[in-house]
Amino acid sequence: MVPGLAAVGVVGLVVRVGLLAVLGALIGPARGALLTAAAALAAAGLACAVLVPRWWYGVHRWEVTDDAVYVRTGFLVQEWRVAPMSRIQTVDTVRGPLEQLFRLATVTVTTASAKGAVHLRGLDRDTAAALAERLTRITQSTPGDAT
C-alpha cells in the first residue's frame, strides 16, 4: 500500500467525521453524543492513518522475476502466492475513481489456478502500467499454454 492509498481512507474518514459534526450542530438534543462520536472517530482515524501504512509495508510484498510473480499478503494468516509465468493467462490494470484521484492502480494477474487471480494493489499508476507491460512481454516469450 502506498501513502496515496491511505489518503483514500482519510477522505472517507473526513466525510464521516464532517457528517457527524454537521448533525451535531443541527440536532440539539443529540449534540453531545454526535460531537463525541465525531471526535472519537477522528482520533481512531488518525491512529489508523499513521499505523495502517506501516503495517501494510510490513506484511505485504510482491516481486516479479522472469520465472514467476510472487505475492505475500495477510497479517494474522499470511498467504504466499507464486504464479509461474507459464500459468498466466491475462494481465489487467484497473483504476477506480479514487485510485484515479490519487494516481494509483491495481494490477490483476489471472492465472490457470483454482485459487484465482493475484492482485497487486495500491501501485503507482506508472509503475502499474510498466509492470503490466513487462508481464505481458515475459508471458508472451514463456513457453506453455497457461492451463
Side-chain angles (χ1 to χ4, degrees):
M1 180 171 179
V2 293
L5 198 52
V8 171
V10 171
V11 169
L13 174 71
V14 168
V15 169
R16 288 173 178 85
V17 169
L19 180 62
L20 285 172
V22 167
L23 288 174
L26 295 176
I27 304 172
R31 180 169 291 132
L34 288 169
L35 293 178
T36 300
L41 184 60
L46 180 61
C48 285
V50 170
L51 298 175
V52 167
R54 293 174 191 252
W55 163 77
W56 188 279
Y57 279 121
V59 299
H60 290 80
R61 296 278 185 264
W62 64 271
E63 180 182 3
V64 175
T65 67
D66 289 340
D67 300 318
V69 177
Y70 303 90
V71 179
R72 184 182 78 176
T73 59
F75 184 68
L76 294 177
V77 177
Q78 289 193 346
E79 180 179 41
W80 179 253
R81 303 238 353 238
V82 178
M85 291 297 173
S86 63
R87 304 282 286 170
I88 293 176
Q89 295 177 326
T90 62
V91 178
D92 302 306
T93 304
V94 178
R95 297 179 60 226
L98 288 177
E99 286 177 314
Q100 291 179 42
L101 178 66
F102 292 103
R103 299 180 51 87
L104 302 174
T106 297
V107 174
T108 302
V109 180
T110 306
T111 63
S113 166
K115 187 70 173 171
V118 173
H119 302 278
L120 306 173
R121 293 182 171 89
L123 300 178
D124 175 75
R125 180 181 65 186
D126 297 333
T127 302
L131 179 61
E133 190 272 324
R134 178 179 175 212
L135 285 170
T136 301
R137 193 175 53 243
I138 293 171
T139 55
Q140 286 176 343
S141 64
T142 302
D145 62 357
T147 58

